[in-house]
Amino acid sequence: MGLRKKIKGVTREMSFLDHLEELRWHLIRSTIAVTVLGGIAFLAKDFIFDVLLFGPKKADFPTYKLLCRAAQSLGLEDSFCFTELPFRIQSRTMAGQFSAHIWTSITAGFVVAFPYVIWEFWRFVSPGLHDNERSTSRGFIIIASLLFFTGVLFGYYVVTPLSINFLGSYQVSEQVFNDFDLSSYISLVRASVLASGLIFELPIIIYFLTKIGVVTPQMLRKYRKFALVIVLIISAIITPPDIASQIIVAIPVLILYEVSIFISKGVIRRQNKKAKKQHVK
């Protein structure tokens, strides 16, 4: 079914070119929002870099303090108790710092503008939904934004410090010093934060895949074991190679998978009720 748009009180079907034109303006408005907020982030250079980006490099980062106290209380290895991480960050190209400033500002603009970007996406797809579908999905923007920001915080306070602590202190030989390039450090933080934010959108993705009939609760339950293996593999890739770190990262994703099964079941239940009502009529 094509998208419908109300123009001057008249609802009409939109052609393929109309769809493209509509999508183009949604993308333009989203890009403008990201650019404006990115410009604000550009001006807040000291906070973005010294406080946020280089925060996980400092020994007084909240995650390190928490893990240090936990390790000491349990009598485990105190690898998170340190005064300084043994590496430096450097820029080896003329435009390295300026380029990092630009792209970091754009990334920050996207993160902050995410609710608006999602709103524009929703405005694009909502005309193709029925009135009852739109009414039951009013909380989509809020839920999607909360999940994304929760994932971003998880990536920043869990995945990033675990990765930085391990990779920053790892040495194959005492003769090799860790002097990381600025772009490499920023890429690690950016990937950890954005990947976590997008992974936490799993329930939203499952909701829409169930709506269009691609996914069912039975399918999700059937492949639960395979999902567990995939989650553990992803956790092993983005975290240090120790069991504790992998479990810390894997648990929230597994919880999201179980929540997704519940959401998929709810969607199927509503679809079945709707089908029964139509059959009665």
Side-chain angles (χ1 to χ4, degrees), residues 33-44:
V34 172
T35 303
V36 171
L37 292 173
I40 297 174
F42 185 87
L43 298 176

mmCIF file with all atom_site columns, all heavy atoms in Angstrom, residues 33-44:
data_model
loop_
_atom_site.group_PDB
_atom_site.id
_atom_site.type_symbol
_atom_site.label_atom_id
_atom_site.label_alt_id
_atom_site.label_comp_id
_atom_site.label_asym_id
_atom_site.label_entity_id
_atom_site.label_seq_id
_atom_site.pdbx_PDB_ins_code
_atom_site.Cartn_x
_atom_site.Cartn_y
_atom_site.Cartn_z
_atom_site.occupancy
_atom_site.B_iso_or_equiv
_atom_site.pdbx_formal_charge
_atom_site.auth_seq_id
_atom_site.auth_comp_id
_atom_site.auth_asym_id
_atom_site.auth_atom_id
_atom_site.pdbx_PDB_model_num
ATOM 1  N N   . ALA A 1 33 ? 19.497 19.636 11.322 1.00 0.00 ? 33 ALA A N   1
ATOM 2  C CA  . ALA A 1 33 ? 19.493 19.508 12.786 1.00 0.00 ? 33 ALA A CA  1
ATOM 3  C C   . ALA A 1 33 ? 20.829 18.983 13.288 1.00 0.00 ? 33 ALA A C   1
ATOM 4  O O   . ALA A 1 33 ? 21.389 19.506 14.265 1.00 0.00 ? 33 ALA A O   1
ATOM 5  C CB  . ALA A 1 33 ? 18.365 18.568 13.221 1.00 0.00 ? 33 ALA A CB  1
ATOM 6  N N   . VAL A 1 34 ? 21.367 17.961 12.623 1.00 0.00 ? 34 VAL A N   1
ATOM 7  C CA  . VAL A 1 34 ? 22.665 17.405 13.022 1.00 0.00 ? 34 VAL A CA  1
ATOM 8  C C   . VAL A 1 34 ? 23.766 18.444 12.859 1.00 0.00 ? 34 VAL A C   1
ATOM 9  O O   . VAL A 1 34 ? 24.653 18.585 13.718 1.00 0.00 ? 34 VAL A O   1
ATOM 10 C CB  . VAL A 1 34 ? 22.989 16.145 12.193 1.00 0.00 ? 34 VAL A CB  1
ATOM 11 C CG1 . VAL A 1 34 ? 24.418 15.680 12.454 1.00 0.00 ? 34 VAL A CG1 1
ATOM 12 C CG2 . VAL A 1 34 ? 22.010 15.023 12.513 1.00 0.00 ? 34 VAL A CG2 1
ATOM 13 N N   . THR A 1 35 ? 23.703 19.223 11.766 1.00 0.00 ? 35 THR A N   1
ATOM 14 C CA  . THR A 1 35 ? 24.721 20.241 11.504 1.00 0.00 ? 35 THR A CA  1
ATOM 15 C C   . THR A 1 35 ? 24.686 21.357 12.545 1.00 0.00 ? 35 THR A C   1
ATOM 16 O O   . THR A 1 35 ? 25.735 21.784 13.051 1.00 0.00 ? 35 THR A O   1
ATOM 17 C CB  . THR A 1 35 ? 24.531 20.837 10.097 1.00 0.00 ? 35 THR A CB  1
ATOM 18 O OG1 . THR A 1 35 ? 24.583 19.789 9.121  1.00 0.00 ? 35 THR A OG1 1
ATOM 19 C CG2 . THR A 1 35 ? 25.616 21.855 9.794  1.00 0.00 ? 35 THR A CG2 1
ATOM 20 N N   . VAL A 1 36 ? 23.482 21.817 12.875 1.00 0.00 ? 36 VAL A N   1
ATOM 21 C CA  . VAL A 1 36 ? 23.354 22.898 13.870 1.00 0.00 ? 36 VAL A CA  1
ATOM 22 C C   . VAL A 1 36 ? 23.871 22.444 15.233 1.00 0.00 ? 36 VAL A C   1
ATOM 23 O O   . VAL A 1 36 ? 24.666 23.138 15.887 1.00 0.00 ? 36 VAL A O   1
ATOM 24 C CB  . VAL A 1 36 ? 21.890 23.359 13.974 1.00 0.00 ? 36 VAL A CB  1
ATOM 25 C CG1 . VAL A 1 36 ? 21.712 24.312 15.150 1.00 0.00 ? 36 VAL A CG1 1
ATOM 26 C CG2 . VAL A 1 36 ? 21.456 24.048 12.677 1.00 0.00 ? 36 VAL A CG2 1
ATOM 27 N N   . LEU A 1 37 ? 23.435 21.272 15.673 1.00 0.00 ? 37 LEU A N   1
ATOM 28 C CA  . LEU A 1 37 ? 23.892 20.765 16.972 1.00 0.00 ? 37 LEU A CA  1
ATOM 29 C C   . LEU A 1 37 ? 25.369 20.411 16.940 1.00 0.00 ? 37 LEU A C   1
ATOM 30 O O   . LEU A 1 37 ? 26.081 20.556 17.934 1.00 0.00 ? 37 LEU A O   1
ATOM 31 C CB  . LEU A 1 37 ? 23.052 19.550 17.376 1.00 0.00 ? 37 LEU A CB  1
ATOM 32 C CG  . LEU A 1 37 ? 21.596 19.866 17.697 1.00 0.00 ? 37 LEU A CG  1
ATOM 33 C CD1 . LEU A 1 37 ? 20.791 18.599 17.921 1.00 0.00 ? 37 LEU A CD1 1
ATOM 34 C CD2 . LEU A 1 37 ? 21.510 20.764 18.932 1.00 0.00 ? 37 LEU A CD2 1
ATOM 35 N N   . GLY A 1 38 ? 25.847 19.971 15.761 1.00 0.00 ? 38 GLY A N   1
ATOM 36 C CA  . GLY A 1 38 ? 27.285 19.717 15.611 1.00 0.00 ? 38 GLY A CA  1
ATOM 37 C C   . GLY A 1 38 ? 28.083 21.002 15.725 1.00 0.00 ? 38 GLY A C   1
ATOM 38 O O   . GLY A 1 38 ? 29.190 21.017 16.278 1.00 0.00 ? 38 GLY A O   1
ATOM 39 N N   . GLY A 1 39 ? 27.514 22.109 15.197 1.00 0.00 ? 39 GLY A N   1
ATOM 40 C CA  . GLY A 1 39 ? 28.173 23.407 15.330 1.00 0.00 ? 39 GLY A CA  1
ATOM 41 C C   . GLY A 1 39 ? 28.279 23.846 16.772 1.00 0.00 ? 39 GLY A C   1
ATOM 42 O O   . GLY A 1 39 ? 29.300 24.405 17.209 1.00 0.00 ? 39 GLY A O   1
ATOM 43 N N   . ILE A 1 40 ? 27.226 23.579 17.551 1.00 0.00 ? 40 ILE A N   1
ATOM 44 C CA  . ILE A 1 40 ? 27.271 23.900 18.980 1.00 0.00 ? 40 ILE A CA  1
ATOM 45 C C   . ILE A 1 40 ? 28.334 23.062 19.679 1.00 0.00 ? 40 ILE A C   1
ATOM 46 O O   . ILE A 1 40 ? 29.091 23.557 20.520 1.00 0.00 ? 40 ILE A O   1
ATOM 47 C CB  . ILE A 1 40 ? 25.887 23.676 19.615 1.00 0.00 ? 40 ILE A CB  1
ATOM 48 C CG1 . ILE A 1 40 ? 24.862 24.635 18.999 1.00 0.00 ? 40 ILE A CG1 1
ATOM 49 C CG2 . ILE A 1 40 ? 25.946 23.866 21.126 1.00 0.00 ? 40 ILE A CG2 1
ATOM 50 C CD1 . ILE A 1 40 ? 23.446 24.384 19.456 1.00 0.00 ? 40 ILE A CD1 1
ATOM 51 N N   . ALA A 1 41 ? 28.396 21.765 19.316 1.00 0.00 ? 41 ALA A N   1
ATOM 52 C CA  . ALA A 1 41 ? 29.414 20.888 19.889 1.00 0.00 ? 41 ALA A CA  1
ATOM 53 C C   . ALA A 1 41 ? 30.820 21.351 19.503 1.00 0.00 ? 41 ALA A C   1
ATOM 54 O O   . ALA A 1 41 ? 31.768 21.236 20.292 1.00 0.00 ? 41 ALA A O   1
ATOM 55 C CB  . ALA A 1 41 ? 29.188 19.449 19.423 1.00 0.00 ? 41 ALA A CB  1
ATOM 56 N N   . PHE A 1 42 ? 30.961 21.899 18.277 1.00 0.00 ? 42 PHE A N   1
ATOM 57 C CA  . PHE A 1 42 ? 32.258 22.405 17.817 1.00 0.00 ? 42 PHE A CA  1
ATOM 58 C C   . PHE A 1 42 ? 32.743 23.539 18.719 1.00 0.00 ? 42 PHE A C   1
ATOM 59 O O   . PHE A 1 42 ? 33.932 23.642 19.027 1.00 0.00 ? 42 PHE A O   1
ATOM 60 C CB  . PHE A 1 42 ? 32.129 22.888 16.368 1.00 0.00 ? 42 PHE A CB  1
ATOM 61 C CG  . PHE A 1 42 ? 33.434 23.310 15.748 1.00 0.00 ? 42 PHE A CG  1
ATOM 62 C CD1 . PHE A 1 42 ? 34.251 22.384 15.124 1.00 0.00 ? 42 PHE A CD1 1
ATOM 63 C CD2 . PHE A 1 42 ? 33.842 24.644 15.779 1.00 0.00 ? 42 PHE A CD2 1
ATOM 64 C CE1 . PHE A 1 42 ? 35.461 22.768 14.538 1.00 0.00 ? 42 PHE A CE1 1
ATOM 65 C CE2 . PHE A 1 42 ? 35.035 25.043 15.214 1.00 0.00 ? 42 PHE A CE2 1
ATOM 66 C CZ  . PHE A 1 42 ? 35.842 24.103 14.592 1.00 0.00 ? 42 PHE A CZ  1
ATOM 67 N N   . LEU A 1 43 ? 31.810 24.389 19.137 1.00 0.00 ? 43 LEU A N   1
ATOM 68 C CA  . LEU A 1 43 ? 32.169 25.511 20.006 1.00 0.00 ? 43 LEU A CA  1
ATOM 69 C C   . LEU A 1 43 ? 32.483 25.046 21.430 1.00 0.00 ? 43 LEU A C   1
ATOM 70 O O   . LEU A 1 43 ? 33.221 25.720 22.152 1.00 0.00 ? 43 LEU A O   1
ATOM 71 C CB  . LEU A 1 43 ? 31.031 26.536 20.030 1.00 0.00 ? 43 LEU A CB  1
ATOM 72 C CG  . LEU A 1 43 ? 30.688 27.188 18.677 1.00 0.00 ? 43 LEU A CG  1
ATOM 73 C CD1 . LEU A 1 43 ? 29.481 28.098 18.829 1.00 0.00 ? 43 LEU A CD1 1
ATOM 74 C CD2 . LEU A 1 43 ? 31.886 27.961 18.127 1.00 0.00 ? 43 LEU A CD2 1
ATOM 75 N N   . ALA A 1 44 ? 31.913 23.900 21.811 1.00 0.00 ? 44 ALA A N   1
ATOM 76 C CA  . ALA A 1 44 ? 32.157 23.359 23.163 1.00 0.00 ? 44 ALA A CA  1
ATOM 77 C C   . ALA A 1 44 ? 33.323 22.377 23.147 1.00 0.00 ? 44 ALA A C   1
ATOM 78 O O   . ALA A 1 44 ? 33.249 21.300 23.741 1.00 0.00 ? 44 ALA A O   1
ATOM 79 C CB  . ALA A 1 44 ? 30.891 22.699 23.690 1.00 0.00 ? 44 ALA A CB  1
#
